[in-house]
Amino acid sequence: MLKDNKFRGQSIETYVQGSERVKYFKRPVIPMIKTVPPEVVMQINEERIESAKMPVEEPKTKTQEVQTVFRDGEAQTNPYTPEYIIDKENVPEVLSIANLQFNKGLPASMAEMELIEQMREKRAFENALPPTSDEACFVLRRKLMEELEVREWNKREEDIKRLQNERLNLLQSALVEREKETEEKHAQRTEEIRLKKTENKERALAKI
């Protein structure tokens, strides 16, 4: 029953939501029985503190799991397979120029053609070497291989000298061009100074 006359005829919701609403927020006193005595609680807390202070040894191995949106079949990669398998007895000649690419040896110029001919000669020479069956063949084989090595070193020295001469010629050409440009700049500057002096002289004569 509502005792105040001004709230007669109103619902209980309107009465609670009015100015008397604060009276309905009082918390009732509910008796609570502690099932664990305080001594046991203190003992449990001390055990937790001691266990937290002790370092935990990290295991040597761990099991990690990852969840992915891909299936196992989609995540699998194809095993490595070479583009071709070479027979040791029959090596194709085209593999000797497999490193050449466009603008890096291709289209082949005279230098690349000379290298190809040298590789052919070397392969034919190696096939013609005597076997190492006896001592005489072994000595002959070693002698021929030494001669081949001497020829390759001489060819390499000639190539190095040729490259050095080409670089020297380029350097001389660059020096000549720089001297020519310097002379042209000096001549242009001299002409500008001459024109300026002539103009000043004419102005001075005109004033006189």
Side-chain angles (χ1 to χ4, degrees), residues 110-156:
M110 290 301 298
E112 281 75 20
M113 294 301 295
E114 290 179 0
L115 290 175
I116 293 172
E117 290 297 330
Q118 290 176 9
M119 287 188 292
R120 285 178 176 176
E121 292 177 0
K122 184 177 180 181
R123 190 179 297 107
F125 178 81
E126 290 176 351
N127 294 330
L129 286 174
T132 58
S133 58
D134 53 356
E135 186 176 356
C137 294
F138 179 77
V139 173
L140 181 60
R141 182 185 181 93
R142 185 176 64 181
K143 183 179 179 181
L144 293 174
M145 292 182 68
E146 288 177 356
E147 292 177 357
L148 177 63
E149 187 176 358
V150 170
R151 287 199 300 269
E152 288 180 352
W153 277 107
N154 293 333
K155 182 66 171 59
R156 191 172 300 176

Side-chain angles (χ1 to χ4, degrees), residues 148-185:
L148 177 63
E149 187 176 358
V150 170
R151 287 199 300 269
E152 288 180 352
W153 277 107
N154 293 333
K155 182 66 171 59
R156 191 172 300 176
E157 289 179 358
E158 292 177 359
D159 293 340
I160 292 172
K161 289 180 180 179
R162 180 173 53 82
L163 292 174
Q164 288 178 350
N165 293 330
E166 291 178 358
R167 290 179 181 178
L168 286 174
N169 293 332
L170 291 175
L171 184 60
Q172 289 177 358
S173 302
L175 289 174
V176 170
E177 290 291 333
R178 190 178 68 176
E179 290 178 358
K180 187 177 180 181
E181 291 178 359
T182 305
E183 290 178 358
E184 291 179 356
K185 289 180 180 179

Side-chain angles (χ1 to χ4, degrees), residues 33 38-39 45 53 57 73 85 95 97 105 126 133 153 168 182:
I33 302 173
E39 294 81 4
N45 292 336
K53 289 182 179 180
E57 185 178 357
I85 299 174
L95 294 180
I97 57 173
E126 290 176 351
S133 58
W153 277 107
L168 286 174
T182 305

